[in-house]
């Protein structure tokens, strides 16, 4: 496999604060010899662990982008021991368009790993993270939210792993993030996720979902900034006391029954509230046929008891859309 076409304008081994770019050459209609410019900040102070902080994996998820842009202008080398790599927008074309996927190639970055240096721009970005940035880090925090199509109860998450020691450390990181809810998350298809690449390299990975609806709020930004600081303390890069919610709830997502997905197109009526409790078999949503009157809606039911972790945000629904995500509240995430 050839070297990545992406070059960096920062020196990852130099002490101090550097602001620069990861530059991916791309020739397109508007710029024959153009480049995708991925902003990056590297803060280093001597020896110590490396924390890789990322947002904008999807371009319509603004909590992480905003919090990391703010951190990039405030973090000083004297604040840390070790190294912090900050990439507020992993996929700038998607972020600039305000879309989940890149307008350059329709690529969903978080379904493009491990990537390919000879692939589309999105796959080339994924390859650079897989082969260059992730190997540099000891701890990785990837900040997500629901984007334009989902509203999600704010949480930090880890995954069940074959490596139990890594699973436990990642779980501790999710709890240390300090959101009111910490989750062991089940992904419908984990094979091409950034998370999976990080975990397979033996690095501690914490991911989040911090709201949604294609916007941010003062509360969601405050939570994200506090969580990033907590993660840096947890990783050993920064000194300080963790700031947690007074009572942290633990939630398990054991399998695909957590997801309620649509088999119809139409108009959505939610019958459950985000953060509310539901029982297996309970009606959680109805879909109405908007092409005619006088027809009953199709009802969708909870596949399990639990708490509503996420719901579809727009009222218009197509086949295959996730309507509701349900998790089981548990006393501990240990196993």
């Amino acid at each position: 496999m050839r070297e990545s076409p992406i070059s960096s304008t920062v020196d990852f081994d130099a002490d101090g604060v550097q602001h620069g770019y990861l530059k991916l050459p791309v020739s397109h209609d508007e710029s024959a010899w153009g480049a995708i410019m991925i902003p990056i900040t590297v803060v280093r102070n001597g020896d110590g662990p490396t924390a890789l902080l990322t947002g904008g994996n999807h371009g319509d998820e603004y909590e992480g982008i905003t919090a990391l842009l703010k951190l990039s202008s405030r973090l000083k080398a004297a604040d840390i021991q070790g190294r912090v790599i900050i990439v507020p927008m992993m996929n700038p074309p998607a972020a600039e368009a305000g879309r989940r996927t890149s307008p350059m190639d329709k690529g969903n970055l978080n379904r493009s790993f491990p990537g390919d240096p000879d692939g589309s721009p999105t796959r080339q970005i994924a390859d650079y993270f897989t082969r260059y940035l992730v190997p540099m880090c000891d701890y990785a925090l990837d900040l997500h939210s629901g984007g334009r199509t989902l509203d999600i109860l704010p949480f930090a998450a880890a995954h069940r792993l074959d490596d139990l020691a890594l699973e436990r450390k990642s779980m501790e990181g999710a709890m240390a993030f300090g959101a009111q809810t910490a989750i062991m998350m089940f992904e419908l298809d984990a094979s091409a996720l950034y998370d999976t690449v990080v975990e397979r390299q033996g690095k501690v990975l914490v991911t989040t979902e911090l709201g949604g609806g294609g916007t941010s709020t003062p509360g969601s930004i405050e939570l994200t900034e506090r969580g990033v600081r907590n993660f840096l303390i947890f990783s050993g890069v920064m000194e300080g006391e963790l700031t947690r919610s007074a009572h942290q709830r633990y939630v398990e997502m054991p399998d695909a029954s957590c997801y309620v997905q649509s088999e119809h197109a139409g108009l959505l009526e939610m019958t459950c509230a985000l953060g509310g409790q539901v029982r297996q078999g309970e009606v959680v949503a109805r879909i109405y046929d908007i092409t005619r009157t006088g027809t009953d809606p199709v009802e969708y039911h909870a596949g399990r008891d639990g708490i509503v972790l996420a719901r579809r945000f727009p009222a218009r629904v197509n086949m295959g859309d996730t309507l509701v995500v349900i998790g089981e509240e548990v006393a501990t995430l240990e196993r």
Side-chain angles (χ1 to χ4, degrees):
M1 186 176 293
R2 74 178 178 111
E3 291 187 3
S4 172
I6 294 177
S7 61
S8 172
T9 68
V10 297
D11 180 351
F12 291 99
D13 296 321
D15 278 354
V17 178
Q18 301 172 75
H19 305 291
Y21 295 95
L22 305 175
K23 298 169 61 176
L24 170 58
V26 176
S27 178
H28 55 91
D29 288 340
E30 305 304 320
S31 185
W33 290 350
I36 295 173
M37 307 290 282
I38 305 173
I40 186 170
T41 292
V42 179
V43 182
R44 179 165 181 156
N45 183 14
D47 296 331
T50 293
L52 173 59
L53 311 178
T54 52
N57 196 326
H58 296 126
D60 61 348
E61 300 175 4
Y62 298 111
E63 291 81 358
I65 296 173
T66 304
L68 294 184
L69 285 172
K70 292 172 72 173
L71 180 68
S72 70
S73 67
R74 296 174 178 176
L75 190 65
K76 304 295 188 294
D79 298 334
I80 68 166
Q81 184 65 44
R83 180 171 56 180
V84 179
I85 302 171
I86 305 170
V87 186
M89 293 161 290
M90 296 173 74
N91 195 351
E96 290 164 9
R99 309 289 294 184
R100 183 173 181 84
T101 60
S102 171
M104 299 196 77
D105 57 12
K106 305 302 182 184
N108 181 338
L109 180 57
N110 210 30
R111 302 296 185 276
S112 299
F113 286 87
D116 182 350
D118 296 311
S120 67
T122 299
R123 292 185 62 80
Q124 289 176 323
I125 294 170
D127 169 72
Y128 187 84
F129 275 85
T130 298
R131 293 196 292 142
Y132 295 84
L133 289 187
V134 173
M136 293 184 197
C137 82
D138 303 290
Y139 298 85
L141 173 65
D142 193 29
L143 297 163
H144 287 262
S145 63
R148 294 181 304 115
T149 65
L150 290 170
D151 194 10
I152 303 179
L153 190 73
F155 64 76
H159 302 100
R160 294 296 180 200
L161 303 172
D162 293 335
D163 184 335
L164 297 183
L166 184 60
E167 177 188 298
R168 176 185 289 272
K169 191 69 173 176
S170 299
M171 176 189 70
E172 291 171 353
M175 293 188 293
F177 186 86
Q180 186 175 1
T181 304
I183 291 180
M184 274 296 176
M185 192 172 184
F186 177 84
E187 308 280 2
L188 286 174
D189 182 9
S191 61
L193 296 180
Y194 174 64
D195 308 33
T196 302
V197 158
V198 177
E199 291 161 348
R200 285 179 176 169
Q201 293 189 33
K203 311 305 176 78
V204 175
L205 181 282
V206 173
T207 188
T208 69
E209 298 290 352
L210 297 167
T215 189
S216 63
T217 67
S220 68
I221 296 298
E222 180 184 3
L223 169 60
T224 307
E225 291 185 280
R226 185 176 73 237
V228 170
R229 179 181 180 276
N230 280 345
F231 185 80
L232 292 177
I233 294 170
F234 161 77
S235 66
V237 174
M238 181 180 287
E239 293 184 349
E241 295 293 328
L242 297 176
T243 306
R244 304 173 185 259
S245 297
H247 171 70
Q248 192 168 63
R249 173 172 47 203
Y250 304 133
V251 175
E252 182 82 49
M253 292 178 62
D255 54 43
S257 70
C258 296
Y259 294 84
V260 180
Q261 293 184 300
S262 175
E263 298 178 2
H264 302 82
L267 184 67
L268 173 65
E269 176 194 7
M270 296 296 305
T271 60
C272 60
L274 191 66
Q277 296 286 335
V278 295
R279 304 287 294 178
Q280 184 174 3
E282 179 181 336
V283 176
V284 293
R286 299 186 181 97
I287 298 179
Y288 293 82
D289 184 346
I290 61 174
T291 66
R292 56 180 52 82
T293 60
T295 59
D296 293 330
V298 178
E299 294 185 335
Y300 284 80
H301 303 84
R304 61 185 309 111
D305 295 348
I307 184 172
V308 177
L309 299 175
R311 53 150 292 181
R312 179 166 172 81
F313 191 72
R316 287 298 302 272
V317 176
N318 289 305
M319 294 180 67
D321 290 339
T322 291
L323 306 176
V324 178
V325 181
I326 301 166
E328 175 187 354
E329 190 166 352
V330 293
T332 179
L333 296 175
E334 298 277 0
R335 65 168 175 170

